[in-house]
């Protein structure tokens, strides 16, 4: 998703995270992929890769594991020092799991320069607790 440099701040980046959380909780993977893409889809259908990775995370969490909605998710925004890539920021959050252990960890990455910036889903992974 294209964003401007003015949108790269804690408040607006957290809003993007909350939007992606809602799309994942509602299993709207097509909408998530259409809006944010998925960096690790490797030329496969991004929505299908997202669905598969969420499913794999839940399988690792336990046989009956499901995602559970949480009221105030902890969203962390971190900024990179200026670099050549150019990576600007990473937005991280964890999704709660019910009937299992661990969490689903999601990273959004902001890249680009000046008015040519993007925010996209970078990675979805399972974290054992």
């Amino acid at each position: 998703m294209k964003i401007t440099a003015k949108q790269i701040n804690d408040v607006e980046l957290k809003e993007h995270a909350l939007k992606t959380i809602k799309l994942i909780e509602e299993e709207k993977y097509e909408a998530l992929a259409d809006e944010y893409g998925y960096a690790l889809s490797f030329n496969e259908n991004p929505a299908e890769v997202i669905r598969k990775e969420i499913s794999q995370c839940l399988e690792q969490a336990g046989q009956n594991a499901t995602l559970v909605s949480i009221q105030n998710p902890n969203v962390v925004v971190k900024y990179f020092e200026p670099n050549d890539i150019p990576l600007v920021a990473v937005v991280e959050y964890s999704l709660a799991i019910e009937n299992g252990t661990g969490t689903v960890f999601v990273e959004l990455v902001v890249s680009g320069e000046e008015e040519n910036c993007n925010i996209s889903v970078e990675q979805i992974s399972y974290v054992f607790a």
Side-chain angles (χ1 to χ4, degrees):
M1 162 184 273
K2 293 223 179 274
I3 60 174
T4 66
K6 292 178 185 174
Q7 294 173 298
I8 301 173
N9 59 69
D10 285 9
V11 172
E12 292 193 49
L13 293 178
K14 285 181 181 182
E15 286 176 13
H16 283 286
L18 296 176
K19 186 173 184 180
T20 63
I21 289 168
K22 184 175 181 182
L23 290 170
I24 292 170
E25 288 176 346
E26 294 175 354
E27 298 182 11
K28 294 183 177 176
Y29 305 128
E30 273 303 323
L32 178 63
D34 288 346
E35 196 156 346
Y36 291 94
Y38 188 47
L40 298 180
S41 61
F42 301 111
N43 297 320
E44 294 181 43
N45 179 314
E48 288 303 315
V49 175
I50 291 169
R51 180 185 325 280
K52 184 172 78 175
E53 292 204 357
I54 297 286
S55 177
Q56 288 174 343
C57 289
L58 293 174
E59 286 175 16
Q60 289 177 301
Q63 185 174 0
N64 298 313
T66 58
L67 290 177
V68 61
S69 181
I70 53 177
Q71 291 299 332
N72 295 307
N74 183 28
V75 177
V76 177
V77 178
K78 299 176 185 175
Y79 297 93
F80 293 100
E81 294 293 326
N83 57 70
D84 294 334
I85 298 177
L87 291 175
V88 179
V90 64
V91 183
E92 304 170 335
Y93 59 84
S94 293
L95 301 170
I97 294 176
E98 186 173 69
N99 300 321
T101 59
T103 60
V104 175
F105 184 69
V106 181
E107 294 174 299
L108 308 176
V109 70
V110 179
S111 60
E113 295 177 1
E114 298 175 18
E115 297 306 310
N116 190 23
C117 296
N118 291 293
I119 183 169
S120 61
V121 178
E122 174 72 13
Q123 184 172 355
I124 298 170
S125 57
Y126 173 71
V127 176
F128 181 75

